[in-house]
Amino acid sequence: MEKQPYSLHNNIRLIRRGKADITQEKLADKVGCTRQTIAALEKGVYNPSLVLAMRIAKVLQVEIVDLFKLQKTN
Amino acid sequence: MEKQPYSLHNNIRLIRRGKADITQEKLADKVGCTRQTIAALEKGVYNPSLVLAMRIAKVLQVEIVDLFKLQKTN
DNA sequence: ACATAATGTAAGAAATACATTACATTAACA
DNA sequence: TGTTAATGTAATGTATTTCTTACATTATGT
């Protein structure tokens, strides 16, 4: 995988605080990862594994497509 | 992320050979990864990054949800 | 103002994705 | 049958994800 030409946007925070209304920690628990991982993802620090992304989508009850958007950067 | 309780199934090969009708190498080229990575994914060797999964789905013109399925193993 | 919950963030270790190189096996086809 | 294309697969290295631990900052509520 190339490093540059694709950036990933997500609205985890939006949905977590909106319809889900849970804390980072609670989300992390339900998903089975750490709070720091959730925080980093919300911040867009990295490109999660597919399984992690799917589990987050499931917990938040949204489609993965609605949670993450891929965009070309050039 | 835990190692055990979720396994990932995919039908990359099915779709690649079916409606897409391209080789592993061609798919890899279009996606921007190596042939070995495609081969490993088809074999289910690992859990791809979300971006890689999305790009494969895009090239194969399917929804990511139709390409990969998550299943609990216990 | 104080206590506690929620979040930000960073350093280092551990795990694992992905690339590279290389060679072997199988499929397709002249 | 021989040649090439397609695929299998392994070893090793690099990059990146994720966890762990830890502490700081900000929000919330009394």
Side-chain angles (χ1 to χ4, degrees):
Chain A
M1 286 290 293
E2 300 133 50
K3 339 86 207 65
Q4 318 291 13
Y6 286 87
S7 79
L8 194 60
H9 167 269
N10 75 79
N11 29 45
I12 297 176
R13 170 162 307 207
L14 201 69
I15 295 170
R16 176 177 64 78
R17 285 186 164 161
K19 71 170 239 197
D21 192 31
I22 52 178
T23 71
Q24 288 182 345
E25 190 152 35
K26 184 84 183 173
L27 175 56
D29 282 355
K30 288 188 170 187
V31 164
C33 71
T34 64
R35 179 179 67 79
Q36 284 78 351
T37 295
I38 298 294
L41 286 178
E42 288 188 352
K43 216 182 149 197
V45 170
Y46 47 58
N47 169 16
S49 71
L50 177 60
V51 169
L52 179 58
M54 286 174 126
R55 293 180 65 182
I56 294 173
K58 180 158 225 172
V59 170
L60 294 180
Q61 302 185 75
V62 293
E63 292 301 316
I64 202 171
V65 176
D66 299 316
L67 196 51
F68 296 92
K69 309 260 187 229
L70 193 58
Q71 40 210 351
K72 273 199 169 128
T73 57
N74 48 10
Chain B
M1 286 291 292
E2 298 132 52
K3 338 91 210 59
Q4 318 288 17
Y6 286 87
S7 79
L8 194 60
H9 168 267
N10 75 78
N11 29 46
I12 296 176
R13 169 163 307 206
L14 201 69
I15 296 170
R16 175 178 64 79
R17 285 186 165 161
K19 71 171 238 198
D21 192 31
I22 53 178
T23 70
Q24 288 182 343
E25 189 152 35
K26 185 83 183 174
L27 175 57
D29 283 354
K30 289 189 170 187
V31 164
C33 71
T34 64
R35 178 179 67 80
Q36 284 76 354
T37 294
I38 298 294
L41 285 178
E42 288 188 352
K43 217 183 149 198
V45 169
Y46 48 58
N47 169 17
S49 70
L50 178 60
V51 169
L52 179 58
M54 286 174 127
R55 293 180 66 183
I56 294 172
K58 180 158 226 172
V59 170
L60 293 180
Q61 301 184 78
V62 293
E63 293 300 317
I64 202 172
V65 176
D66 300 317
L67 197 51
F68 295 93
K69 309 260 187 227
L70 193 57
Q71 40 210 352
K72 273 199 169 130
T73 56
N74 47 8

